[in-house]
């Protein structure tokens, strides 16, 4: 397991590269050019800027999260070919600076969705929270009005240029079914995976968060069987997944341990985090510790260990603790605590395995 940490870039992150470097066992940053709109080719000079910052800090930049997919590709519009060509050019440039994994997602319009970014916990910390009934009761067109009236309602994937076209986007998706989305994903993969293979890069799709349809929009990377279908769309190690335990874990029917065992070898990147799911379908993000949430983090780390996981892993969405001023979910403190918990579990399994194999050696003698 190679530990990495998400970094939003100079001026965009409250956590510095020096701080990241001091978290035990962290070797690299997970990065992106966040100011380049989806669909545009990434400029080489900006890529090189991040490369030189990372080099100076002694961190690698093997993992990019995300090169976002233009909605025309998800909608299957004729203009998709132009955006796919840009995507291929970006892959080639990322390979030049040594990128090994590109994380992306195929969620229409939005990325991850929550109803509260600062939900108060009893201990005074705050967490990201999702109130299911509130989203279910919301008309997407009312939502657009609300966002237009309240600019603070901003989330990842809700870039200003996209918000301006939100009504049109909802209209465009009105007749798009899940099967259409599968077709459009397949088209994208048939074009992109041969290029990724040629550059020795793994394309790792991130599951939908939450893993169900929101605002009537189709969502397809939601379950073990759908991941199986995704991997069969193009049978190559370059067609792979970012296994996010918290995204899939918002649906307790998803057995992440079983997913790790079934898809070993096709998981180059793991997001390991916990959520607590309530009976009514609401969920709140918790510390990484197993006992604090519904996701079996202990079992997940054990499964990665047992399957000989050598990919990249990062903690994800921490709580906001100790009065840290940071991007919701992306503070230093709780994610660094999360890393130490993950290492603790990992090292304990490594020790158990060593002891087990040395006992076997002794019994052979
Ligand atoms: C949230 C992240 C997601 C993720 C994208 C991948 O914190 O896990 O925003 O980066 O969905 O494309």
């Amino acid at each position: 397991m190679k530990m990495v940490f998400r970094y939003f870039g100079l001026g965009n992150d409250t956590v510095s590269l020096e701080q990241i470097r001091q978290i035990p066992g962290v070797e690299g940053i997970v990065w992106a050019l966040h100011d380049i709109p989806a669909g545009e080719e990434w400029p080489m000079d900006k890529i090189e800027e991040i490369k030189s910052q990372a080099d100076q800090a002694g961190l690698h930049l093997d993992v990019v999260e995300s090169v976002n997919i233009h909605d025309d590709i998800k909608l299957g519009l004729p203009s998709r070919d132009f955006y796919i060509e840009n995507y291929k050019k970006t892959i080639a440039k990322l390979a030049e600076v040594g990128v090994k994994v590109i994380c992306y997602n195929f969620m229409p319009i939005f990325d991850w969705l929550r109803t509260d970014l600062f939900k108060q916990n009893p201990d005074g910390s705050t967490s990201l929270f999702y109130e299911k009934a509130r989203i279910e009761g919301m008309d997407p067109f009312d939502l657009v009005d609300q966002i237009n009236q309240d600019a603070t309602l901003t989330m990842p994937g809700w870039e200003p240029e996209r918000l301006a076209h939100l009504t049109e986007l909802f209209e465009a998706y009105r007749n798009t079914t899940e099967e259409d989305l599968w077709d459009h994903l397949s088209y994208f993969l048939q074009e992109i995976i041969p290029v990724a293979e040629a550059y020795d890069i793994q394309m790792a799709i991130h599951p939908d968060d939450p893993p169900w349809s929101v605002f009537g929009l189709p969502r397809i990377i939601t379950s073990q069987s759908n991941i199986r279908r995704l991997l069969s769309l193009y049978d190559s190690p370059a067609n792979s997944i970012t296994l996010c335990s918290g995204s899939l874990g918002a649906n307790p029917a998803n057995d992440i341990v079983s997913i790790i065992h079934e898809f070993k070898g096709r998981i180059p990147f793991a997001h390991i985090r916990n959520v607590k799911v309530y009976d009514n379908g609401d969920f709140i993000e918790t510390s990484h510790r197993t006992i604090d949430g519904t996701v079996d983090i202990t079992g997940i780390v054990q499964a990665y260990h047992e399957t000989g996981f050598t990919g990249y892993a990062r903690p994800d969405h921490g709580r906001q603790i100790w009065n840290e001023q940071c991007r919701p979910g992306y503070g230093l403190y709780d994610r660094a605590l999360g890393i130490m918990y993950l290492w603790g579990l990992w090292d304990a399994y490594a020790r158990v395995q060593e002891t087990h194999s040395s006992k076997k050696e002794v019994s052979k003698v």
Side-chain angles (χ1 to χ4, degrees):
M1 178 163 76
K2 299 190 274 276
M3 194 62 77
V4 287
F5 200 82
R6 196 164 196 192
Y7 178 60
F8 287 95
L10 265 186
N12 281 327
D13 208 317
T14 54
V15 184
S16 68
L17 290 172
E18 288 67 30
Q19 287 169 324
I20 294 173
R21 188 74 181 94
Q22 290 169 7
I23 308 169
V26 171
E27 298 167 3
I29 50 167
V30 174
W31 64 285
L33 297 183
H34 291 278
D35 48 352
I36 307 293
E40 271 184 31
E41 185 185 336
W42 286 16
M44 199 62 207
D45 55 335
K46 292 213 168 170
I47 296 174
E48 272 161 358
E49 215 174 284
I50 305 268
K51 163 97 177 120
S52 84
Q53 287 169 20
D55 281 351
Q56 274 172 35
L59 293 159
H60 68 67
L61 31 66
D62 295 2
V63 186
V64 169
E65 176 178 347
S66 304
V67 183
N68 284 323
I69 314 270
H70 195 279
D71 273 289
D72 287 11
I73 298 176
K74 298 176 203 163
L75 283 161
L77 300 180
S79 45
R80 68 179 154 181
D81 294 326
F82 169 74
Y83 295 115
I84 289 176
E85 286 313 308
N86 282 349
Y87 209 100
K88 290 179 186 168
K89 290 181 202 154
T90 298
I91 291 179
K93 289 181 184 171
L94 292 177
E96 264 186 59
V97 293
V99 167
K100 298 279 172 240
V101 176
I102 297 177
C103 171
Y104 70 104
N105 71 76
F106 218 71
M107 290 176 257
I109 309 184
F110 301 107
D111 196 323
W112 56 276
L113 197 70
R114 299 289 182 272
T115 54
D116 192 344
L117 299 181
F118 304 97
K119 179 85 170 174
Q120 197 78 31
N121 292 308
D123 63 5
S125 62
T126 60
S127 290
L128 307 183
F129 175 70
Y130 184 89
E131 188 183 342
K132 201 168 190 192
R134 197 164 141 216
I135 297 285
E136 278 168 3
M138 217 180 250
D139 178 279
F141 294 97
D142 287 346
L143 174 76
V144 178
D145 284 346
Q146 279 182 35
I147 296 171
N148 286 336
Q149 281 163 29
D150 181 357
T152 62
L153 278 172
T154 172
M155 298 280 283
W158 299 27
E159 303 94 347
E161 69 282 355
R162 197 186 290 231
L163 287 183
H165 299 114
L166 215 47
T167 312
E168 284 161 47
L169 274 171
F170 272 116
E171 285 295 351
Y173 277 105
R174 209 188 265 280
N175 296 315
T176 306
T177 63
E178 281 186 9
E179 283 309 310
D180 293 331
L181 201 57
W182 278 114
D183 284 351
H184 304 157
L185 176 55
S186 177
Y187 183 96
F188 173 74
L189 293 174
Q190 309 311 317
E191 288 289 323
I192 291 295
I193 298 300
V195 178
E197 282 173 337
Y199 286 102
D200 201 18
I201 280 182
Q202 285 184 280
M203 293 295 301
I205 197 167
H206 187 285
D208 302 344
D209 182 2
W212 53 74
S213 160
V214 291
F215 307 125
L217 298 165
R219 284 192 161 194
I220 53 178
I221 309 301
T222 52
S223 65
Q224 187 159 359
S225 55
N226 284 12
I227 291 174
R228 196 175 300 127
R229 179 169 175 184
L230 164 268
L231 294 177
S232 71
L233 290 178
Y234 201 115
D235 191 14
S236 158
N239 178 27
S240 65
I241 58 171
T242 295
L243 184 51
C244 177
S245 64
S247 301
L248 289 171
N251 177 357
N254 283 325
D255 180 344
I256 318 287
V257 169
S258 159
I259 292 176
I260 295 169
H261 282 281
E262 179 173 351
F263 304 122
K264 61 171 186 256
R266 301 286 286 272
I267 312 173
F269 187 26
H271 286 182
I272 311 181
R273 71 175 164 91
N274 207 345
V275 289
K276 184 179 171 106
V277 182
Y278 297 95
D279 291 344
N280 63 1
D282 293 354
F283 62 86
I284 189 155
E285 302 192 352
T286 65
S287 94
H288 286 65
R289 199 173 174 216
T290 304
I291 204 170
D292 288 340
T294 314
V295 180
D296 180 13
I297 301 294
T298 310
I300 286 172
V301 175
Q302 181 177 15
Y304 279 124
H305 199 271
E306 281 170 5
T307 53
F309 179 67
T310 54
Y312 302 90
R314 72 166 178 86
D316 205 354
H317 295 192
R319 301 159 304 146
Q320 234 167 306
I321 61 172
W322 304 337
N323 293 322
E324 186 177 9
Q325 299 303 310
C326 58
R327 287 172 165 262
Y330 284 97
L332 169 65
Y333 304 147
D334 206 32
R335 284 184 300 153
L337 289 177
I339 286 187
M340 291 317 291
Y341 182 65
L342 299 178
W343 278 138
L345 290 169
W346 183 266
D347 291 349
Y349 286 118
R351 176 58 58 86
V352 169
Q353 202 176 48
E354 271 166 34
T355 315
H356 193 70
S357 40
S358 60
K359 273 196 189 140
K360 269 196 192 154
E361 286 302 313
V362 172
S363 68
K364 265 199 239 157
V365 173

